[in-house]
Amino acid sequence: MMFEVEDLSVASPATVSRCGMIYMEPVALGLKPLFNSWANTLPEPFKPQKVVFERLFDAYAQDAVTFARKNVRETVATVDGNLCLSLFRLIDSVIAGFLNELKTASETESEEGAAASRPSPEGTVKSIFFFSLIWSIGASCDLDGRHKFSTFLRERMLENLHDKDIPAERSIYDYCYLHSLGQHGWTPWMDTMPEFKLDPKLEFSSILVPTVDTIRYTNVLGRLVRKNHHVLCVGNTGTGKTLAVMDLLLNSMGKHCDTLPVSFSASTSANQTQDILDARMDKRRKGVFGPPAGMKYIIMVDDFNMPMREKYFAQPPIELLRQWMDHSG
């Protein structure tokens, strides 16, 4: 059996004596093997763009990670490999949304002149990469760090003659790319939303006024969730994380998705977590449970870090969710 552990701080001498250690520094592995593995999974329309993605990755990814490590402060600590995987997952999510819209458009529109007006995969590669780079490697830092990262990326883009690929009027964080086929260029975040009109019949507690922050976070979150990626939303207390996420999940995910909210506390146990999830599932057959036929459950866990640590510093409810995620949950 093989286990990947962070340390052996609570292992007994007997356990340590039975361990065969294979220790590899993450620095020795580097980021390129992750790219090589991911590039083989590109969808067919984007496979010819593998070389372009590789050039962009070599020119920006490692330098961006190094800059983030040395010059910005993160809200929650990350590791280099995970930042890189976040980049790939967001690229996958943007590409999936783009291809789905192209398929829908080709089925509903007449072909005369329609295909010529749509963006092509080769015409979107660079912008998809930069958008994903900004909201993965460049998104884990605080506000001051974003100013630094914006300056850094623009300088590197100028060196590589890519300075025309993102509008220069504002920060790199102020633009959305490929919001839809109708808005397939770089668009200010506020321009991607229709004019807000307040419904006077709504209760005060249910009113959510969109801001540039809620718009861009729900946009990125929506792209990832639709591609079945797990997302960890972090931030200071009282900044509206729960409200923004629940608004997206309840109103923007379609009829085939249902949201199952779970709230953790210091006393939450693994058994309680399993009972909450099992109570909403239908029994398919012996030992197999799932959402109703034709539906997909999206589990939203609030106060994720609240469960109390046990004697050996584990948090059993989180361990249960991690095991569930490892099995494609």
Side-chain angles (χ1 to χ4, degrees):
M1 299 181 69
M2 182 179 289
F3 296 92
E4 182 180 357
V5 297
E6 183 178 5
D7 55 52
L8 295 173
S9 60
V10 294
S12 67
T15 301
V16 173
S17 68
R18 288 172 173 81
C19 285
M21 302 294 179
I22 303 176
Y23 180 72
M24 180 178 290
E25 284 276 8
V27 177
L29 178 64
L31 301 180
K32 196 58 181 287
L34 299 177
F35 173 84
N36 294 334
S37 178
W38 167 78
N40 293 327
T41 67
L42 281 170
E44 200 61 38
F46 279 84
K47 282 191 181 297
Q49 310 309 317
K50 177 180 177 180
V51 175
V52 182
F53 274 124
E54 185 170 13
R55 286 202 300 265
L56 292 168
F57 181 85
D58 291 342
Y60 293 98
Q62 183 61 66
D63 289 344
V65 171
T66 302
F67 179 87
R69 288 285 168 259
K70 293 183 177 181
N71 299 279
V72 305
R73 186 170 66 88
E74 293 182 315
T75 305
V76 172
T78 60
V79 295
D80 295 355
N82 190 64
L83 286 178
C84 192
L85 291 176
S86 296
L87 167 64
F88 299 147
R89 288 168 185 150
L90 189 50
I91 292 176
D92 286 340
S93 301
V94 176
I95 287 176
F98 171 62
L99 294 179
N100 286 338
E101 288 201 37
L102 278 183
K103 180 180 178 181
T104 302
S106 64
E107 294 173 351
T108 57
E109 296 177 359
S110 61
E111 291 299 321
E112 293 185 9
S117 63
R118 299 177 197 140
S120 61
E122 57 269 21
T124 60
V125 169
K126 288 192 293 184
S127 295
I128 288 176
F129 178 85
F130 287 128
F131 176 80
S132 303
L133 181 73
I134 293 165
W135 290 104
S136 54
I137 298 175
S140 63
C141 55
D142 58 12
L143 185 59
D144 290 337
R146 290 189 177 186
H147 294 311
K148 297 176 183 177
F149 191 85
S150 179
T151 302
F152 157 78
L153 185 58
R154 287 200 183 277
E155 290 175 351
R156 289 308 309 271
M157 292 176 70
L158 182 61
E159 293 173 8
N160 292 295
L161 303 180
H162 292 145
D163 53 303
K164 303 297 183 184
D165 290 314
I166 302 179
E169 291 79 13
R170 308 182 186 183
S171 165
I172 58 174
Y173 295 94
D174 290 337
Y175 293 98
C176 172
Y177 182 72
L178 208 61
H179 177 65
S180 65
L181 289 184
Q183 291 178 300
H184 59 261
W186 290 93
T187 309
W189 285 107
M190 293 302 293
D191 293 347
T192 64
M193 292 289 291
E195 182 181 355
F196 176 72
K197 295 182 179 179
L198 181 62
D199 185 353
K201 298 180 181 179
L202 287 177
E203 295 182 8
F204 180 78
S205 59
S206 62
I207 296 174
L208 181 62
V209 180
T211 66
V212 65
D213 285 322
T214 60
I215 292 171
R216 55 191 177 188
Y217 295 147
T218 54
N219 181 285
V220 174
L221 176 64
R223 295 182 195 236
L224 291 167
V225 172
R226 291 185 183 95
K227 188 65 171 125
N228 299 324
H229 292 307
H230 305 107
V231 185
L232 179 64
C233 299
V234 300
N236 295 327
T237 303
T239 52
K241 298 184 296 296
T242 301
L243 193 61
V245 172
M246 288 301 296
D247 180 67
L248 170 74
L249 298 182
L250 294 176
N251 301 318
S252 303
M253 297 307 299
K255 296 181 179 179
H256 69 286
C257 294
D258 194 9
T259 301
L260 201 168
V262 179
S263 185
F264 280 175
S265 68
S267 59
T268 302
S269 66
N271 286 337
Q272 289 174 336
T273 304
Q274 184 170 354
D275 290 342
I276 292 171
L277 298 179
D278 287 347
R280 292 287 298 273
M281 303 292 179
D282 290 351
K283 186 174 182 179
R284 303 279 180 83
R285 58 184 184 274
K286 185 178 179 180
V288 178
F289 296 83
M295 296 290 292
K296 180 173 71 173
Y297 274 149
I298 300 175
I299 313 299
M300 189 278 186
V301 182
D302 199 12
D303 293 327
F304 188 71
N305 64 332
M306 285 295 288
M308 185 177 297
R309 290 185 175 186
E310 49 144 53
K311 178 180 178 181
Y312 298 110
F313 310 111
Q315 293 169 284
I318 298 178
E319 300 293 339
L320 178 65
L321 292 180
R322 178 55 194 260
Q323 181 182 7
W324 186 46
M325 291 163 58
D326 287 342
H327 289 80
S328 303

